[in-house]
Amino acid sequence: MRSAIGAHQDLSSAGVLAIIGLAASLAVAGCHDAQAQAAQSEPSSTTASSAAGPAVSVEPRAKLLPTFPCSSCHQHLKPNPEKRELKEFHTVRNKELHHGDSAAWCYQCHSMANIDRLVIARGDLVTFDEAFLLCGSCHGDKLRDWKLAIHGKTMGHWRGDKIKRSCTGCHNPHAPKFPAIEPEAAPWPPTGMKAH
Amino acid sequence: MTGRDDDQHEGGCGDARSQRRDALVQLRLSKHDSRRDFLKGIAVAGAAIAGGAGCADEHFQKHYKELTDEDKRHVFQRIEQETRAKTGVRVKISDPQPLDGVQFAYALDLSLCNGNRRCAEACARENNLPDEPRFRYIQVLQMERGTVDLERGEHYYEPEKVPQPGKVYLPVQCHHCEKPACIKVCPVGATWREPDGIVVVDYDWCIGCRYCMAACPYFGRRFNFAEPAIRPNRINPEQGYLSNRLRRAGVVEKCTFCLQRTRTGRYPACLEACPTGARKFGDLSDPESEIRVMLERKRVFVLKEDLGTIPRFYYFYT
């Protein structure tokens, strides 16, 4: 089991959020057991706050997923480790999977041992709300910038509580390239004439 | 409701003005010019002024910097009443003051911007920009990939989807320069730089000469050529005196970093609307602010650096 290899890592959600900007919370963020976190029935809250300073929270993901928890179906199924095209369920996901194209498939990111968790590159299990740890295990440069609020979207207050959008808040994890979207209408030239 | 309809509103300033103007025009055109006609004309004009007491108040209103707290209360009340009479919307005029020691700055990640103009639209809603004519504080330039040629930037682009292949996008708005050319040229001092770095306009002091627009190297300012028409249900009732209160024809306006939001600790509307997260905002004087952290780690550039305007608006790539 790959998940056993990565036990007792210091990379927990509390640790990461402390890096985001709360020196005060560094003291309480010790060495958490990633598996212990994964074993919780409810996904852990990704809010870090302290009495002294404003809170930085990461938008949760799991509660936005219509089919979560995955185990509600998968507990009745035996995991099939064979890389294959899905023809019965998740056919849409299958079709739109454009992530590291030929290499990626379900169990590269989803844990086979616990389908309600994600598995990062070195084997730790993380919750769906901590998807940034999974993304960052390959895209380390982006995770570094995201922790510093250089990459990614931050909402709320520049002075006060902030809400950070996690990777999956903007990128579809199965097709992460930001899609082309319709622009808002163009302004008018000052004369009132339409541009040609 | 259009701007012209608003002018017809009984008891409004526009009404009094047009009466006065008509009276004076009649006076000039009168073939049988006589002292009696003249006095009659003056009487009409005088009545028009007396009829619109608010207009007289406005006429003798002092420059923003000379207003006492008491004056401000009167002025804000008058504006609230006028807006109510004109649009039927109950608005709240506020005047948030610069925060101590704060120096605002903005940054934009050009590798993320895809030209969707959500920022410009959110800005228009927050800052009560008119539905008609449609101008925007944020001008998104579309340029050929590999160039940053502002002069050839196209901002009226209207493709079905953005980003278009082979194009890059660069949004431009007021750069809130440390040495703003626009302020130097204003003949009446209607525009100035606040202690927190925000360049503002007193719309009641602006004479509409547009020197500032000619001086600004970034096309950061907009002029109300026509009476701005905004649908009442689109009016944002939380209005700042120096920022998003309703403007009239003949005055210059511009981005104010949403000071009615940012001086209360919130992010500007454009930043919150950006779907790509390209926009960053914060306090330059706080070493732990997002903007400082970014400035210390990324290479940034400003537009037309050689002009020495020292913009507080940085562009970077990740």
Side-chain angles (χ1 to χ4, degrees):
Chain A
M1 290 295 294
R2 291 178 68 201
S3 56
I5 303 165
H8 300 289
Q9 297 293 340
D10 59 352
L11 199 64
S12 69
S13 68
V16 167
L17 284 162
I19 299 164
I20 291 167
L22 291 169
S25 69
L26 268 170
V28 292
C31 292
H32 282 229
D33 187 341
Q35 273 195 319
Q37 288 242 336
Q40 290 168 9
S41 56
E42 288 294 313
S44 62
S45 162
T46 47
T47 303
S49 62
S50 70
V56 180
S57 58
V58 178
E59 271 191 344
R61 166 83 171 163
K63 69 179 184 189
L64 301 176
L65 298 172
T67 56
F68 195 84
C70 308
S71 57
S72 57
C73 291
H74 277 266
Q75 61 181 336
H76 308 298
L77 301 168
K78 194 168 174 282
N80 179 353
E82 191 191 335
K83 185 175 172 180
R84 65 197 186 281
E85 192 183 333
L86 304 181
K87 292 198 172 134
E88 290 168 41
F89 293 99
H90 302 310
T91 49
V92 176
R93 283 270 175 275
N94 201 72
K95 206 185 287 175
E96 68 175 20
L97 183 64
H98 292 298
H99 194 161
D101 272 327
S102 59
W105 80 295
C106 314
Y107 288 132
Q108 190 161 7
C109 299
H110 293 272
S111 166
M112 210 184 293
N114 181 354
I115 198 66
D116 292 333
R117 294 290 180 271
L118 301 166
V119 56
I120 69 175
R122 66 178 174 195
D124 299 358
L125 298 192
V126 296
T127 66
F128 276 61
D129 290 345
E130 299 161 325
F132 51 87
L133 294 177
L134 169 63
C135 306
S137 63
C138 290
H139 305 280
D141 57 332
K142 289 285 179 277
L143 179 63
R144 183 193 61 210
D145 279 356
W146 180 81
K147 285 179 194 165
L148 298 168
I150 295 171
H151 181 90
K153 182 164 172 170
T154 309
M155 292 159 297
H157 299 77
W158 64 268
R159 175 178 274 185
D161 294 352
K162 295 179 202 294
I163 305 163
K164 289 183 79 152
R165 199 161 271 182
S166 186
C167 316
T168 47
C170 301
H171 300 277
N172 177 349
H174 299 106
K177 185 177 164 57
F178 203 86
I181 53 176
E182 200 179 323
E184 296 285 344
W188 297 350
T191 51
M193 291 186 295
K194 292 291 282 182
H196 46 270
Chain B
M1 187 186 275
T2 67
R4 283 187 182 80
D5 290 337
D6 296 344
D7 273 356
Q8 307 294 327
H9 197 282
E10 204 175 333
C13 278
D15 190 36
R17 266 206 209 109
S18 63
Q19 274 184 30
R20 192 171 56 200
R21 192 178 56 223
D22 290 351
L24 291 172
V25 168
Q26 265 181 8
L27 208 67
R28 289 220 184 121
L29 293 179
S30 169
K31 285 178 185 169
H32 309 286
D33 196 4
S34 70
R35 190 167 138 55
R36 174 167 301 200
D37 285 346
F38 178 75
L39 288 174
K40 206 166 90 184
I42 290 292
V44 171
I49 292 171
C55 298
D57 274 357
E58 185 192 327
H59 188 75
F60 294 111
Q61 184 182 316
K62 285 185 247 169
H63 187 278
Y64 170 81
K65 288 183 183 173
E66 293 175 337
L67 293 176
T68 62
D69 288 348
E70 180 69 17
D71 292 340
K72 277 184 188 172
R73 202 163 45 244
H74 283 300
V75 171
F76 296 175
Q77 217 167 23
R78 174 180 63 75
I79 295 171
E80 283 166 7
Q81 281 167 359
E82 279 177 10
T83 312
R84 185 100 199 277
K86 203 170 163 186
T87 64
V89 179
R90 206 183 280 269
V91 301
K92 176 87 187 76
I93 305 284
S94 64
D95 183 34
Q97 294 301 303
L99 301 170
D100 273 347
V102 169
Q103 292 291 323
F104 286 125
Y106 210 113
L108 206 150
D109 186 348
L110 289 177
S111 49
L112 296 185
C113 179
N114 65 3
N116 58 66
R117 292 204 192 99
R118 299 285 188 280
C119 49
E121 201 58 33
C123 163
R125 297 284 63 78
E126 170 69 26
N127 292 305
N128 294 315
L129 263 66
D131 300 325
E132 213 173 300
R134 187 164 67 218
F135 58 82
R136 296 288 180 257
Y137 293 167
I138 301 173
Q139 177 175 258
V140 187
L141 297 175
Q142 177 182 266
M143 295 173 295
E144 293 299 321
R145 181 168 286 279
T147 68
V148 186
D149 188 350
L150 301 182
E151 311 306 327
R152 290 195 191 162
E154 161 65 36
H155 66 281
Y156 298 120
Y157 64 87
E158 259 181 309
E160 276 188 18
K161 293 274 170 95
V162 287
Q164 287 284 293
K167 305 284 185 191
V168 291
Y169 299 87
L170 185 143
V172 185
Q173 62 203 78
C174 174
H175 282 12
H176 296 273
C177 308
E178 285 180 31
K179 297 198 172 171
C182 52
I183 286 174
K184 280 189 197 164
V185 297
C186 180
V188 295
T191 179
W192 65 93
R193 190 163 173 268
E194 293 267 293
D196 56 2
I198 298 179
V199 176
V200 294
V201 181
D202 184 348
Y203 309 121
D204 285 349
W205 206 257
C206 174
I207 56 169
C209 68
R210 291 182 280 143
Y211 285 11
C212 55
M213 293 180 70
C216 174
Y218 307 108
F219 188 53
R221 289 171 172 256
R222 303 290 180 275
F223 184 66
N224 287 282
F225 281 97
E227 189 68 33
I230 179 166
R231 275 173 274 160
N233 60 356
R234 305 226 312 172
I235 292 175
N236 173 8
E238 294 295 322
Q239 303 185 350
Y241 180 82
L242 290 175
S243 53
N244 63 339
R245 70 184 164 109
L246 298 185
R247 279 78 59 183
R248 68 182 70 171
V251 301
V252 169
E253 56 183 284
K254 61 185 277 301
C255 158
T256 57
F257 276 168
C258 285
L259 69 82
Q260 71 281 2
R261 293 167 65 105
T262 50
R263 282 182 180 173
T264 57
R266 297 167 72 198
Y267 282 119
C270 49
L271 184 147
E272 293 213 324
C274 178
T276 65
R279 292 172 166 267
K280 306 290 160 197
F281 178 81
D283 176 12
L284 266 189
S285 56
D286 173 7
E288 291 182 358
S289 68
E290 290 159 49
I291 197 104
R292 277 285 292 278
V293 169
M294 188 282 296
L295 284 173
E296 279 161 22
R297 282 168 177 78
K298 299 289 172 190
R299 291 184 181 206
V300 300
F301 69 95
V302 294
L303 296 183
K304 302 186 182 178
E305 187 182 3
D306 49 319
L307 298 179
T309 48
I310 318 180
R312 281 277 176 86
F313 199 103
Y314 307 97
Y315 295 93
F316 66 106
Y317 293 95
T318 51

